[in-house]
Amino acid sequence: MTFDAIDMAGNKARGKRPTFFKDTDTDRLLSILMALAGELAVARERIDTLERLLEARNLLKQTDIEGYVPDTTAARERGLWHQEFIARILRVVQQEIEQFDEDREAQQQARRENVSASTELEELIEELASS
């Protein structure tokens, strides 16, 4: 029997998913964050294992890792990776900000058009009144 993580991701517990907050979006966000925290814990353990194995085999010391200073190329690559990572993590927030900006612009445009229509209407009324 083989383990297929993608198939397992679709598995559901029986019954209704419990909720802890009034807003179900908060429950979803908490679930995603806990899954991410679990992945981070596993990755941290694997890194620790690698560091200990490298040190045990005299290939590298923990102090070498802690004292490592990336060169310009490595620093640039790390910086790009961080920017992309943050963009992926905060994609939902960025999309909501963009939607908010679009909605605000649409509201401002509607107000301008409403003001313009009101002004045109007022001018028409004045013109009719003076004639």
Side-chain angles (χ1 to χ4, degrees), residues 100-118 120:
F100 177 78
D101 289 343
E102 289 174 13
D103 291 348
R104 186 174 54 193
E105 179 61 32
Q107 288 175 351
Q108 289 173 346
Q109 180 65 27
R111 276 192 217 114
R112 283 192 295 267
E113 289 174 2
N114 191 20
V115 168
S116 177
S118 297
E120 290 176 15

Side-chain angles (χ1 to χ4, degrees), residues 8-42:
M8 294 293 290
N11 289 351
K12 297 178 188 172
R14 291 184 184 174
K16 187 177 178 184
R17 177 182 283 273
T19 57
F20 303 100
F21 299 98
K22 289 181 182 177
D23 186 355
T24 55
D25 288 341
T26 304
D27 281 305
R28 282 190 207 104
L29 181 60
L30 180 63
S31 178
I32 291 168
L33 286 173
M34 294 310 296
L36 187 59
E39 293 289 331
L40 179 61
V42 169

Side-chain angles (χ1 to χ4, degrees), residues 80-95:
L80 287 173
W81 185 88
H82 279 271
Q83 288 175 353
E84 292 169 4
F85 179 70
I86 295 298
R88 285 192 307 271
I89 297 291
L90 298 178
R91 185 178 62 89
V92 171
V93 175
Q94 180 63 34
Q95 289 173 347

Side-chain angles (χ1 to χ4, degrees), residues 67-79:
Y68 174 75
V69 177
D71 62 18
T72 305
T73 302
R76 187 177 326 114
E77 289 173 357
R78 284 182 176 189

Side-chain angles (χ1 to χ4, degrees), residues 51 54 56 64 66 87 122:
E51 289 176 358
L54 290 170
D64 294 337
E66 292 167 13
E122 289 171 4

